[in-house]
Amino acid sequence: MNESRKNIIQMVVVAVAVIFLVKLFSIQVLDDKYAQAATSNIIHKVIEYPYRGTIRDRNGKLIVYNTPQFDLTITPKEVRVLDTAKFCDLFEITKEELKTKYATLKAGKGFSYVKPNPFIKQLSERDLARIQDYLIDFPGFDVQARTSRAYTYPVLANALGYVSEINKRQLDRDTADYYHQGDYIGQSGLEAYYEDQLRGKRGVRFKKRNVRGIEMGDFEDGKFDTLAVRGENLITTIDIDLQRYGEELMKGKSGSIVAIEPSTGEILSLVSGPSYDPNELSGKEYSKNYYRISSDSLKPLFNRPLMAQYRPGSIFKIIQAMVGLQEGVITKQTYIPCIKYPMNCHYHGAGETLVGAITHSCNPYFYNVMKRMVNQGVSEDPFEDTRIGIKKWNDYIESFGLGSPLGIDLPSEKSGMVPSVAYYDRAYNGRPWKFSNIYSISIGEGENLVVPIQMANFAALVANRGYYYIPHLVKSVGDSGEPLPRFKEKHHTMVDDKYFDIAVEAMANVIKEGTGQYRAKLKDIEVCGKTGTVQNDPLPDHSVFIAFAPRDNPKIAVSVYVENAGQGARAAASIASLMIEKYLLGGTERPNIEAYVKKGDFL
């Protein structure tokens, strides 16, 4: 019996010994995580953040650059007894803020007890100089160098966008696992659209340190280090002087200015009003400033050139004219009496031919043009005939770049709307409808919606006599000297190019003797334009104007929308002509018009 018990005990001892031997073999040979844990106590991994690419204007002027900033990090395991009063005094925070910061950090995703965690972010060089000599008194706290964005000019904020800390939703979408908690990412504008090019590539350095946390030099002489690779620079199409002038003209107003070089589609100016200083959304005041700006009832963060959707108003009549010519329902000589029915009109005489109708913006003329286009007698049923006509009309209008995003190199571009058969079927709840129900779209009212960038593109399209390039803001990515390939493709409409000479002639007449003659005419430059007054009941109408100049070999095309400013021949025409002068001549020769715009009393 005793011998049996002795054997059992021996077997248990042997079994335990074998288990220990197997475990030791596993730890020391098969599984390296314990070795890694030991190594991590002497190896300090330092992330090196790359410089983000700079952004310049078309003439090489620096718009966006990097400025040094620093994050104070905390490694909780290494923190000794903390003199909170001294710490709070040094970093200019209260004890309550200190407790809140740590509690928030500890509760956040990615918190580590043994690795550095960002604690106080975006310290300036001045802040660092003030605290650097005292950091030795606070074991567990260290400084991580990085950069933030800075802006040479207080303009172009809506187009440039801003950079801020990545959020949880963005982290979850990062399938490439590039970003980590605490990283910064482009949140809007060019910063977001060209994030992959601008961000660069992180580097890493491994530093040795002793048990007291004191660095002892590079690990393995830097054998495992990788260098940070700076992001690619962007050369934009923007003329920063023109941009600054446009924002000055738009002060105190809601609306937009878009200026394009017709021959390339390059955007010369993209003004959204009201806007904000881009420097306000950079640095440690970001959160406070963002809350204030985003809470502003005038919506400075709303990028009106790309996101505001308005009725086009009378500028749409030029498109109607081109479609009517292509369909053969009118010619240049077609005369239509102005009987002021079924819609009213400006006073301009008993009737007009096509060029005169555009020049004097005759509403009944374009009512008749569209009626002829839509109801061509393809079907004896007037309801079905209208459906057939609207389908064909819709295809024409969409070929002008309306009804869908153009594809500009900025996020959040809206589509506007070209009403379709399906739209009217929904709107009339399955009840029949015909042209007499929808005729307001013939003069750019009713269900038509356009985005300002689309109308600037339309002005460029007419300037080119029938084609356009997708508007874009970046002229060159990195050292390529080229924009993205899709911005070099020509896009033609469904209308023959030959008809656009008639549109050019009519738009020149608008400035010579029509609705644009008082504030858009320039002494030595032949401007071609079209006014629009967009209904906005119960508020005052929007003032709208498109133009290009000079008539031959155009260098600039412009669209201007000024909300609640009344007739297009006033506010919008004045601003557009001043932008043309500024770009072509370097300044205005009409100080009275400039003063009128800056005063802003259009009504």
Side-chain angles (χ1 to χ4, degrees), residues 120-275:
I120 298 178
K121 299 177 181 178
Q122 296 183 313
L123 299 170
S124 67
E125 285 186 293
R126 179 175 294 181
D127 293 330
L128 181 65
R130 182 172 55 81
I131 68 171
Q132 199 164 23
D133 291 341
Y134 299 95
L135 281 178
I136 195 171
D137 298 331
F138 302 103
F141 290 92
D142 204 351
V143 170
Q144 169 73 63
R146 64 193 315 157
T147 60
S148 68
R149 296 304 241 176
Y151 304 86
T152 310
Y153 309 95
V155 299
L156 199 63
N158 300 85
L160 293 172
Y162 61 93
V163 174
S164 70
E165 189 172 336
I166 193 167
N167 58 44
K168 183 181 183 302
R169 180 171 51 85
Q170 291 167 324
L171 272 175
D172 292 341
R173 287 206 312 256
D174 178 26
T175 55
D177 199 29
Y178 175 86
Y179 297 98
H180 304 134
Q181 186 72 40
D183 282 353
Y184 286 75
I185 187 172
Q187 297 287 3
S188 65
L190 291 176
E191 296 281 15
Y193 193 91
Y194 288 95
E195 169 66 17
D196 290 351
Q197 291 85 355
L198 286 167
R199 71 188 181 190
K201 185 177 180 181
R202 280 190 302 265
V204 62
R205 296 177 65 191
F206 296 94
K207 296 285 196 178
K208 292 186 297 186
R209 59 184 180 181
N210 62 22
V211 293
R212 296 183 179 180
I214 299 173
E215 288 193 0
M216 306 295 290
D218 294 329
F219 174 67
E220 292 283 333
D221 294 324
K223 179 180 178 181
F224 301 102
D225 295 354
T226 57
L227 293 175
V229 179
R230 71 172 299 142
E232 294 185 278
N233 299 328
L234 301 182
I235 303 297
T236 71
T237 61
I238 292 291
D239 182 315
I240 198 64
D241 293 328
L242 184 66
Q243 179 72 26
R244 293 168 70 189
Y245 186 61
E247 297 210 16
E248 187 180 341
L249 295 177
M250 193 56 74
K251 274 184 181 174
K253 310 167 188 66
S254 291
S256 66
I257 306 170
V258 183
I260 296 175
E261 182 179 72
S263 62
T264 61
E266 294 178 358
I267 296 174
L268 304 169
S269 178
L270 196 73
V271 177
S272 182
S275 188

Side-chain angles (χ1 to χ4, degrees), residues 499-516:
Y499 292 120
F500 285 89
D501 285 330
I502 299 172
V504 171
E505 179 185 346
M507 290 174 71
N509 273 9
V510 168
I511 308 303
K512 288 176 184 174
E513 58 187 64
T515 53

Side-chain angles (χ1 to χ4, degrees), residues 294-553:
S294 62
S295 301
D296 191 326
S297 61
L298 296 177
K299 300 182 178 179
L301 291 172
F302 185 64
N303 193 358
R304 283 173 169 80
L306 270 68
M307 301 172 72
Q309 299 180 97
Y310 309 96
R311 296 184 180 113
S314 291
I315 53 182
F316 197 68
K317 293 171 182 174
I318 301 169
I319 299 177
Q320 298 283 52
M322 297 298 98
V323 175
L325 288 166
Q326 181 67 32
E327 278 294 295
V329 298
I330 57 168
T331 68
K332 182 181 178 182
Q333 288 75 36
T334 298
Y335 177 89
I336 297 176
C338 182
I339 60 174
K340 297 180 173 57
Y341 179 83
M343 51 185 67
N344 205 354
C345 194
H346 318 287
Y347 176 77
H348 56 80
E352 298 286 355
T353 57
L354 179 56
V355 171
I358 294 174
T359 302
H360 299 291
S361 203
C362 179
N363 289 333
Y365 192 99
F366 290 98
Y367 163 84
N368 280 282
V369 169
M370 186 165 183
K371 190 174 191 308
R372 295 180 186 187
M373 159 65 200
V374 170
N375 293 141
Q376 295 189 41
V378 178
S379 172
E380 293 182 1
D381 180 348
F383 298 100
E384 181 60 25
D385 196 42
T386 298
R387 294 171 68 87
I388 294 168
I390 284 294
K391 173 64 173 69
K392 182 186 288 188
W393 174 85
N394 194 280
D395 291 341
Y396 272 115
I397 304 306
E398 288 181 351
S399 78
F400 282 81
L402 304 181
S404 60
L406 285 166
I408 182 177
D409 50 351
L410 286 179
S412 304
E413 180 189 3
K414 299 299 183 185
S415 63
M417 188 178 74
V418 178
S420 64
V421 169
Y423 171 83
Y424 285 121
D425 283 344
R426 289 193 302 272
Y428 282 88
N429 241 345
R431 290 178 285 111
W433 50 272
K434 57 183 178 177
F435 182 71
S436 60
N437 302 117
I438 63 172
Y439 64 80
S440 61
I441 64 175
S442 63
I443 60 169
E445 296 294 344
E447 296 78 27
N448 285 316
L449 289 176
V450 295
V451 182
I453 186 72
Q454 294 174 337
M455 294 319 297
N457 184 62
F458 171 63
L461 186 158
V462 177
N464 290 334
R465 278 63 169 176
Y467 67 88
Y468 67 90
Y469 295 94
I470 295 175
H472 53 283
L473 275 161
V474 170
K475 194 179 183 76
S476 173
V477 179
D479 299 323
S480 70
E482 298 285 345
L484 299 179
R486 63 192 181 86
F487 297 131
K488 297 190 286 184
E489 298 174 12
K490 270 186 183 180
H491 297 263
H492 287 267
T493 73
M494 292 172 59
V495 175
D496 292 342
D497 293 354
K498 64 183 180 182
Y499 292 120
F500 285 89
D501 285 330
I502 299 172
V504 171
E505 179 185 346
M507 290 174 71
N509 273 9
V510 168
I511 308 303
K512 288 176 184 174
E513 58 187 64
T515 53
Q517 63 181 298
Y518 302 107
R519 292 180 176 86
K521 186 184 294 185
L522 302 179
K523 182 180 177 184
D524 298 316
I525 300 171
E526 188 169 11
V527 177
C528 302
K530 182 71 186 80
T531 59
T533 305
V534 176
Q535 295 174 9
N536 187 39
D537 295 334
L539 299 173
D541 295 337
H542 299 319
S543 180
V544 185
F545 190 75
I546 64 168
F548 63 86
R551 176 173 177 170
D552 298 317
N553 192 24

